[in-house]
Amino acid sequence: MKSVKADLHLHTNYSDGNLSPIQLIDLSKKYGISVISITDHDNVNALEEAIIYGNQNGIQVIPGVEISADLDKQEVHILGYFIDYKDKRLLEFLSASRNLRIRRNEKIVRKLNEMGSTISFNDIKVKAGEMTSIGRPHIAMELNEEGFVKSYYDAFIKYIGDGKPAFVKKPNPKSSEVIRIISEMGGLSFIAHPGKLVRDELLISLIQEGLDGIEIIHPSHSKSDIEYFSKMAAEHFLLTSGGSDYHGGVKNDGRNFGNYCISMDEIINMKRRLFI
C-alpha cells in the first residue's frame, strides 16, 4: 500500500505566499502529496476554493490557519487545524487581527518614508487585494521593487526586521485567547516552528493554556530539535504535526516543498482526538 504524504503548513497569496490555492493544489498533486492544510496568516479566505478544487483532484484539504499571538511579551505563531472556517466569530476575530496588521504596517511605511523610501501603503494594499492578510513580506517586496534595498532579505536585515530602524511591534491577541478560539471552532491548536525560542517554561505555559500539539517537522528544525519536541509531545500527551511552511516566490523555499511531510498516522491521531 502506498504511503500517504501530508504537508500541513502551506501559504497562498491570501497571505504571504506566492501561489493561488489552485496552483498550490496542482503542485501538491505533482509532488504526490495527498493531504494538505492551507495555513495562511490570520486568514481563511483561501479555504473554500481550495477544498472544492482539492476534492475534484484527489487532494484532501484540512481547513487551517496560522495566527500570531503574544506569550510573555514574545510573539508566537499558533496553527489551527480542522477549524470551522465559516464561523462568524472566527471571521470577526481574524478580521480584527488583520486590521491590527494594517495599522502596524502603515506605521512601518511611514518610518521608511522618513528614511527616504517613496513606497505607498495604499499601493501595497491594492497589489495584495482586499482579501489578503498583509504583512512585512509585502513591504519587503515593494522596497525591493523600488530599488531601496538590494533584495527581499536585505529589507529585513537593514530596515524592517525585528529591532531594525523601521520595525514596529505588532499587537497580537494573547496565546490563551487564540488557543481558546481554535478550540471553540472545533479545531486543534499547534505551536508552529517552536525551534529554539519556544521551549521549557514557555512551552509548558502553552500546554497549560490548552495547546493540543507541536509542529515537529519544519525546515528550521534540526535533528536535536525534532528529538526534543518529540520527547515533550510524548511526555505531555500532545499531538504532532509538520510541514514545509512553503511560501514560494521571493522566499526561495521551493526545495522545501515535498521534503517536510508527515504520515497519515498523525492525521488519524488528530481525528481521533476530535472524534471525527
Side-chain angles (χ1 to χ4, degrees):
M1 181 178 174
K2 186 181 176 184
S3 62
V4 172
K5 289 169 67 177
D7 186 332
L8 301 193
H9 196 157
L10 298 169
H11 295 276
T12 74
N13 56 5
Y14 281 90
S15 65
D16 55 347
N18 191 49
L19 302 184
S20 71
I22 286 174
Q23 290 173 319
L24 193 57
I25 285 167
D26 285 341
L27 190 64
S28 299
K29 192 171 184 179
K30 178 182 175 182
Y31 277 76
I33 298 171
S34 306
V35 183
I36 69 169
S37 184
I38 289 175
T39 54
D40 282 326
H41 296 281
D42 302 322
N43 200 334
V44 292
N45 291 324
L47 294 179
E48 184 76 1
E49 180 182 13
I51 290 168
I52 292 170
Y53 188 71
N55 288 338
Q56 294 168 352
N57 287 272
I59 307 289
Q60 180 188 351
V61 180
I62 294 171
V65 68
E66 183 172 4
I67 303 176
S68 300
D70 282 340
L71 173 66
D72 293 343
K73 298 181 180 179
Q74 180 176 313
E75 180 172 295
V76 296
H77 290 184
I78 297 174
L79 295 159
Y81 297 127
F82 296 99
I83 52 171
D84 180 358
Y85 63 96
K86 296 181 181 180
D87 190 288
K88 185 181 177 184
R89 291 169 299 163
L90 177 66
L91 296 176
E92 289 174 350
F93 178 86
L94 295 178
S95 177
S97 292
R98 290 197 299 276
N99 285 333
L100 289 174
R101 282 176 171 272
I102 286 172
R103 290 201 288 273
R104 178 247 198 147
N105 291 322
E106 285 174 335
K107 291 177 183 176
I108 290 174
V109 169
R110 282 200 293 271
K111 281 191 171 189
L112 289 165
N113 292 157
E114 290 168 4
M115 295 173 192
S117 169
T118 59
I119 65 170
S120 156
F121 186 68
N122 190 59
D123 288 346
I124 293 171
K125 280 202 300 183
V126 170
K127 286 182 184 179
E130 279 186 28
M131 306 292 282
T132 300
S133 183
I134 298 172
R136 281 183 291 172
H138 294 92
I139 297 173
M141 286 186 277
E142 197 75 1
L143 288 171
N144 187 37
E145 193 173 308
E146 178 195 21
F148 193 71
V149 294
K150 294 177 182 178
S151 69
Y152 169 87
Y153 291 104
D154 197 36
F156 282 91
I157 293 166
K158 289 185 176 177
Y159 297 104
I160 64 174
D162 291 9
K164 300 302 177 181
F167 175 75
V168 175
K169 188 180 183 313
K170 176 161 53 72
N172 295 313
K174 291 182 179 179
S175 54
S176 56
E177 185 183 0
V178 173
I179 290 169
R180 177 185 57 77
I181 196 162
I182 289 172
S183 177
E184 288 177 355
M185 294 304 105
L188 297 166
S189 57
F190 286 68
I191 178 65
H193 42 69
K196 301 289 185 286
L197 295 176
V198 187
R199 290 178 173 240
D200 306 325
E201 290 85 1
L202 282 180
L203 185 55
I204 294 299
S205 293
L206 287 170
I207 294 168
Q208 290 171 344
E209 289 175 354
L211 189 75
D212 295 297
I214 303 174
E215 181 179 49
I216 290 177
I217 303 301
H218 187 272
S220 68
H221 284 178
S222 65
K223 186 179 177 182
S224 63
D225 291 332
I226 293 170
E227 289 172 354
Y228 171 81
F229 291 114
S230 295
K231 183 172 178 285
M232 289 295 288
E235 286 179 359
H236 295 277
F237 306 101
L238 298 176
L239 297 163
T240 58
S241 183
S244 63
D245 201 356
Y246 178 75
H247 290 74
V250 293
K251 292 207 173 182
N252 297 321
D253 56 0
R255 70 185 68 179
N256 294 341
F257 199 88
N259 290 318
Y260 294 88
C261 294
I262 60 173
S263 71
M264 198 61 194
D265 289 343
E266 281 139 308
I267 309 291
I268 291 168
N269 288 338
M270 292 180 199
K271 290 182 176 181
R272 282 176 178 158
R273 186 72 61 95
L274 292 170
F275 304 105
I276 293 177

